[in-house]
Amino acid sequence: MSTGQSRFHVPAPPFRPGDEPDFSSVLDLPKAGEAKRPDPLVKGWDTQELALGLVGVLDHNHQAVGEWNPKLSPEVLREGLSHMVLTRIYDERMLKLQRQGKMSFYMKSTGEEAVAVAGAMALRKDDMVFPSYRQQGVLFARGRNIVDMMCHCISNSRDNLKGRQLPVHYTWAEGNFFTISGNLGTQFPQAVGYAMGCAYKGEDTIAASWIGDGTTAEGDFHSALTLASTYRAPVILNVVNNQWAISTWQGIAVGDAPSFAAKGLGYGLASIRVDGMDFLAVHAATQWAAQRARKGGGATLIEMFAYRGDAHSTSDDPTKYRPKQEYAAWPLGDPIERLKQHLIGLGEWDEDRHAKLEEEMTHLVVRAYKEAESHGTLHDGPLSPTHTIFEDVYETDDWRLRRQRQDLGV
Amino acid sequence: MNMIQALNSAMDVLLDKNPDIVIFGEDTGYFGGVFRTTDGLQKKYGVDRVFDTPINEGAIAAMAIGMSAKGLKPIAEIQFADYIFPAFDQIVSEMSRIRYRSAGQFTTGCVVRAPWGGGIRGGQTHSMSPEAFFTHIPGVKVAIPSNPHDAKGMLIAAAEGNDPVIFFEPKRIYNGPFDGVPDAPLKSWAKHPKGEVPDGHYTVELGKADVTREGSACTVVTYGTLVHVAEAAAEKSSIDAEIIDLRTLTPYDIETIAASVNKTGRVVVAHEAPRTSGFGAELAAQIQEECFYALEAPIYRLTGWDTPYPHAHEWAYFPIQSRFIRALETVTEAV
C-alpha cells in the first residue's frame, strides 16, 4: 500500500510463536471443485485462472467433486493411502533412529506425502524424476526396497552410494530417480535438459522435478522456466509451497506475486496451483500435465500448496519461529486423513483396516531396519571399503588418485 | 586449417559419427558462433543437433547435465571463459560430482567449450584464464590445446570420453600462432606444422603432454598461447629450453614433466592467469616434491599479475616474449 513515500519492506509471516494461528483471516482459498479443467493442450497463457486459483477435488466432506476428479478406482486410492502411510511411518521411525544416534541426519516429509506419492503415481515408471530431498514418497510409490533406503541413510556396507552422501540424498537409477543434490534448485533446469533429451530421441517419456517455495528464489528456477518455455520441453516443474524454507516464511520468496504458480505465466507456461494436501487433486493435475507434455504441449508449472508439518530437518527447531499448533490450524488439513476419510465415505475403507495398515507398515519398517542394521551402521560399521572414496571421481582413476590412495594406505 | 576450422572439423566429425552428439550455446546455431567455430553445422545437421540457447550460462550447463543423464553427448559452448561463472555452481556442485555421488549410476560425459585467454585487447571480461578454478574441482578434466592439430584431436577425445571436460580454447591463436611480441604482424597456421589437420577422425589422448621443443638448459611447463611465446623466447635468447605443452591440466602429465626436470634441473612454469593460487602453484609444488634432488634453481613462476586483466596496459600484464626471455635467463643463471 502506498504511503506516499518509498519504505524498505520486509515481508513477515502472519503468525509467530505465541500467536494463535487462524488462517481464515489470511488465506482466501477457492473451494474444491470450482476450478475448470481445460484441455491439456491449452495455451500456457490461458491458464491464469488455474495459476491464481486452487485445483481441489476433495471437499470439506471428503467427497470428490468437480471437473478435476480423476475418478481413480478404490484399489488405486488404497494403494496411494498405503504409500502415504508408509512414508509417514518410515519418516517417524527414521527420526527416532536419528535421535538415538543411529544416523547423522534426517528430513521428514510430514504433510507432503500426497505431493510425492500422488505425483509419482500419476507418472509412468519410465519417466525420470528429479526430486528435492523431501519427496521420499516417490520412492515408496515406485517400489524402492525399504532396506536399501535405510542402508543409504545409515551409510553402511550396503549403501548404494557407498557412504558418500548425507542421509536422504537417495539415488536410484533403476527406478528412474535422479541423484539428489544438496545444492538447492540445481535439478530444476537439469530436468528440463533431460526432457529435451526425451523429445530429441522421439520418446514419449517425460521428466518431472520438485523444488520448494524457498528455492524458487534461486537463479536455477528462472533458468528452468526459461529453458522449458523456449524448447517446449516435456517436463513437469513442481514447486512444493509448504509455506516454510527452514525459518523463512514463503512470503520472503513469493514477494507480492499472487502465487508461485503465477510466476509460470510470465514465461508462457501452463501454470496451476493445486491443493497439495489433496491426493486426488495432485494426481489429477500431474496426470493433466503429463498428458500435455507427452502430446507436445510443453511444460507445466505446478504449485503444490501444502504445509511443512514438521521441522525442516533433525537440525531444526520450528518452535523458535512459528506457532506449535500451526499445522493443526492449517485449513487444508492433512493428506492422509483426507484420503482416509474419502475412502471411508466411499465404503472402501474403515478405521479397523486403517489401524491394521498402520500396524503392518510399522512392522515392515521395524523389520527392515533390523535387516538394514545387519549390514552395518555409520558408527559401528561395516562401511563401504575405505578405498572406495577414490572411485567414481572419474571413469578411470588417474595417477593423482592412485597415489593418494597409496598415501592413505587403503 | 586454423584452430577455428580444426574445432569446426572436430564437431563435424563427431556429429557425423554419433547421433547422440548435440551442440548448443549462445549464437552457436544459425549464426555459427561469434568465432565461427560452429559455422555451417546447423545447416548440415539440423536445428535439433546444433542450436541456439537463451543467454544463461547456468542453464546451458544444466541442460548439458540433464541431456547427459538421458544418454546424449552434449558439447556446450560458453561464449567467453570470462562468462563461465554463472555456470560455476552447475559445474562444481553437479557436473563434476554426479558420477561420484551416485556411485556411477549417473554420469555426465559432456564437454563445455569456452574461448579463453588474453592478448586480444579484450579487457577484463574477454581475456580471463580461469582454469585454476576448474583444476581445483575433482571430477572434471581441464584441457587447453595450443594448435589446430591438437585442438581437433583433443576435442574429439573429450567428447568421446565419459567424464566432463572443460575445454578452453586460446582465442589469441585461433587464427595463427603468437610469439609474444605485441605489435608483430599476424602469422598464419598455414606454415606451422601443427596447422596440418587430417580431415577425418583422430584423437589426441587427454592427460598426455607434448614436448614441443627439446632442450637441456631448463624446462618450461606451459599451455595455450604461451607455448608459442616460450618457443620464440627460446629461439631469440639462445637458451636451450625444453618446452612442455601440458595440453591437459587435470589430470596433468607428471611423468613427462618429471623426466624433463630431472634432465634439466631448472624450471619455468608459465601461464597468463594471475599468480596467486594459479595452476603454476600446483605445478611448482608437485615438481618440487617430485624432483627436489634434481633442482638446481628455484622454480620460476612466470604469470599474469594479481590484478584483474587490464585493457590499456594489456602488454604490461601479459607474459610477453621479453618477460619470457628474462624468465629463461633468470632460471638458467641462478645457482
Side-chain angles (χ1 to χ4, degrees):
Chain A
M1 302 318 108
S2 170
T3 53
Q5 188 189 343
S6 169
R7 286 192 194 278
F8 183 53
H9 171 67
V10 181
F15 312 111
R16 285 297 193 188
D19 292 340
E20 193 59 51
D22 176 8
F23 287 97
S24 64
S25 58
V26 290
L27 284 181
D28 183 21
L29 297 171
K31 287 197 179 86
E34 274 182 7
K36 296 240 175 310
R37 185 185 185 279
D39 186 279
L41 294 178
V42 65
K43 272 197 177 148
W45 184 245
D46 291 333
T47 57
Q48 288 106 322
E49 275 182 39
L50 296 173
L52 303 177
L54 189 77
V55 169
V57 173
L58 292 173
D59 68 11
H60 61 283
N61 293 320
H62 310 295
Q63 310 259 345
V65 293
E67 295 177 15
W68 282 89
N69 181 2
K71 302 198 172 117
L72 300 173
S73 70
E75 287 72 33
V76 171
L77 294 177
R78 277 193 294 263
E79 189 197 331
L81 184 69
S82 159
H83 292 319
M84 290 203 290
V85 167
L86 175 57
T87 306
R88 186 163 295 181
I89 287 172
Y90 176 89
D91 275 353
E92 277 160 14
R93 186 77 196 163
M94 296 306 263
L95 173 76
K96 251 184 230 153
L97 292 166
Q98 193 277 338
R99 294 299 188 226
Q100 291 168 11
K102 306 216 172 188
M103 245 183 308
S104 59
F105 179 75
Y106 193 70
M107 301 178 101
K108 296 170 77 182
S109 63
T110 311
E112 299 170 48
E113 292 90 349
V115 167
V117 171
M121 286 176 68
L123 294 170
R124 281 183 0 206
K125 287 196 175 163
D126 58 348
D127 295 330
M128 181 66 88
V129 296
F130 291 74
S132 82
Y133 46 67
R134 219 185 292 280
Q135 284 81 46
Q136 48 265 55
V138 172
L139 289 165
F140 297 113
R142 288 199 165 180
R144 177 77 169 131
N145 180 307
I146 305 169
V147 176
D148 287 333
M149 288 174 68
M150 289 174 163
C151 286
H152 157 64
C153 286
I154 57 176
S155 303
N156 67 15
S157 63
R158 204 175 117 175
D159 175 8
N160 74 330
L161 307 182
K162 302 185 183 174
R164 291 173 186 162
Q165 279 262 56
L166 271 181
V168 312
H169 290 60
Y170 303 102
T171 300
W172 185 36
E174 214 182 298
N176 292 310
F177 187 98
F178 195 66
T179 170
I180 294 175
S181 170
N183 294 68
L184 294 181
T186 49
Q187 76 274 25
F188 229 38
Q190 291 168 7
V192 182
Y194 185 94
M196 290 168 69
C198 295
Y200 176 87
K201 292 202 167 217
E203 296 171 3
D204 70 345
T205 51
I206 64 172
S209 187
W210 290 260
I211 60 170
D213 46 287
T215 301
T216 61
E218 292 283 2
D220 278 333
F221 174 72
H222 166 69
S223 297
L225 271 56
T226 302
L227 292 179
S229 176
T230 298
Y231 301 108
R232 222 169 276 169
V235 65
I236 304 174
L237 297 170
N238 296 291
V239 172
V240 186
N241 176 9
N242 67 14
Q243 316 300 320
W244 292 96
I246 309 185
S247 73
T248 315
W249 174 58
Q250 55 92 20
I252 293 288
V254 82
D256 285 333
S259 68
F260 286 97
K263 299 196 175 206
L265 295 173
Y267 295 83
L269 296 177
S271 307
I272 315 177
R273 188 161 62 150
V274 176
D275 178 353
M277 312 305 235
D278 178 342
F279 182 92
L280 293 171
V282 173
H283 193 286
T286 306
Q287 205 174 42
W288 184 93
Q291 204 182 342
R292 175 179 178 80
R294 278 189 235 288
K295 291 195 165 186
T300 303
L301 180 76
I302 305 180
E303 174 181 349
M304 301 289 185
F305 199 69
Y307 188 88
R308 194 191 79 212
D310 212 319
H312 165 70
S313 73
T314 50
S315 310
D316 174 48
D317 174 8
T319 62
K320 295 279 194 320
Y321 52 81
R322 70 183 191 189
K324 237 181 202 157
Q325 66 278 35
E326 200 172 84
Y327 186 38
W330 183 243
L332 297 176
D334 180 273
I336 294 177
E337 187 58 24
R338 284 175 71 190
L339 183 58
K340 176 187 158 192
Q341 293 305 333
H342 175 60
L343 271 164
I344 290 174
L346 292 176
E348 295 287 348
W349 199 242
D350 57 48
E351 292 290 352
D352 281 352
R353 288 174 82 178
H354 196 81
K356 214 167 143 207
L357 174 70
E358 286 182 336
E359 199 183 310
E360 258 172 44
M361 293 302 171
T362 304
H363 187 61
L364 185 72
V365 166
V366 169
R367 210 175 41 199
Y369 185 74
K370 271 194 193 130
E371 192 186 336
E373 213 175 22
S374 76
H375 298 283
T377 62
L378 178 61
H379 293 293
D380 303 325
L383 311 175
S384 295
T386 309
H387 68 81
T388 60
I389 68 172
F390 297 101
E391 292 170 0
D392 299 322
V393 179
Y394 299 95
E395 185 176 40
T396 314
D397 301 344
D398 62 58
W399 63 271
R400 300 169 302 160
L401 290 161
R402 284 196 300 271
R403 283 192 192 179
Q404 288 164 28
R405 180 180 160 176
Q406 281 164 9
D407 260 10
L408 188 59
V410 290
Chain B
M1 287 185 199
N2 64 30
M3 204 188 285
I4 290 166
Q5 293 160 333
L7 291 162
N8 187 281
S9 171
M11 288 186 268
D12 192 359
V13 165
L14 287 161
L15 284 161
D16 184 56
K17 193 168 170 237
N18 183 351
D20 290 334
I21 296 273
V22 284
I23 293 173
F24 51 84
E26 297 156 18
D27 304 291
T28 50
Y30 183 85
F31 181 56
V34 294
F35 288 103
R36 318 308 304 153
T37 41
T38 52
D39 190 26
L41 296 177
Q42 184 181 79
K43 197 171 178 195
K44 188 166 174 186
Y45 294 98
V47 288
D48 59 341
R49 310 229 27 220
V50 182
F51 56 92
D52 292 317
T53 65
I55 303 173
N56 182 330
E57 292 76 14
I60 291 170
M63 210 195 309
I65 293 165
M67 286 178 158
S68 301
K70 183 63 204 168
L72 301 188
K73 295 286 290 180
I75 302 176
E77 180 182 303
I78 304 293
Q79 203 157 73
F80 286 87
D82 312 61
Y83 303 136
I84 201 167
F85 300 106
F88 202 55
D89 186 37
Q90 285 286 348
I91 294 170
V92 179
S93 314
E94 302 291 319
M95 193 182 284
S96 72
R97 285 191 215 153
I98 280 173
R99 178 192 293 279
Y100 191 74
R101 77 170 193 234
S102 71
Q105 294 179 61
F106 293 96
T107 57
T108 44
C110 59
V111 182
V112 179
R113 294 175 43 236
W116 164 97
I120 60 148
R121 280 275 185 255
Q124 290 187 21
T125 56
H126 300 79
S127 307
M128 279 185 76
S129 302
E131 63 275 14
F133 292 102
F134 296 91
T135 57
H136 196 59
I137 309 171
V140 296
K141 296 181 174 180
V142 176
I144 307 178
S146 72
N147 59 71
H149 176 271
D150 290 355
K152 178 173 175 180
M154 287 165 66
L155 182 55
I156 294 175
E160 290 180 346
N162 294 315
D163 292 312
V165 179
I166 309 298
F167 196 88
F168 287 129
E169 302 165 4
K171 56 191 172 294
R172 180 63 182 79
I173 55 174
Y174 266 158
N175 289 302
F178 175 61
D179 61 10
V181 176
D183 299 322
L186 291 177
K187 288 184 186 167
S188 122
W189 282 112
K191 289 179 192 129
H192 195 283
K194 294 281 179 72
E196 250 176 62
V197 177
D199 285 326
H201 179 276
Y202 69 93
T203 57
V204 171
E205 191 187 342
L206 298 186
K208 297 275 182 235
D210 183 24
V211 179
T212 68
R213 184 188 192 282
E214 291 195 7
S216 56
C218 67
T219 298
V220 175
V221 186
T222 190
Y223 45 90
T225 307
L226 291 190
V227 170
H228 305 279
V229 181
E231 284 170 357
E235 295 308 320
K236 193 73 173 282
S237 66
S238 313
I239 292 171
D240 188 22
E242 179 147 298
I243 295 167
I244 298 175
D245 175 1
L246 216 46
R247 299 199 288 200
T248 303
L249 276 64
T250 41
Y252 57 98
D253 183 353
I254 192 63
E255 276 181 32
T256 299
I257 298 170
S260 176
V261 175
N262 285 332
K263 180 177 76 174
T264 65
R266 293 164 194 270
V267 190
V268 173
V269 296
H271 54 65
E272 297 175 41
R275 182 182 183 83
T276 302
S277 300
F279 192 62
E282 165 63 27
L283 290 171
Q286 190 64 35
I287 291 167
Q288 179 273 137
E289 271 185 41
E290 203 87 18
C291 311
F292 184 76
Y293 295 104
L295 287 173
E296 291 174 39
I299 297 167
Y300 191 106
R301 277 192 284 164
L302 175 64
T303 67
W305 309 121
D306 285 331
T307 68
Y309 198 104
H311 182 244
H313 291 294
E314 168 155 62
W315 300 118
Y317 175 96
F318 191 96
I320 55 174
Q321 195 185 101
S322 55
R323 265 178 73 201
F324 227 117
I325 291 170
R326 210 170 341 131
L328 295 177
E329 287 170 354
T330 306
V331 82
T332 50
E333 278 163 14
V335 183

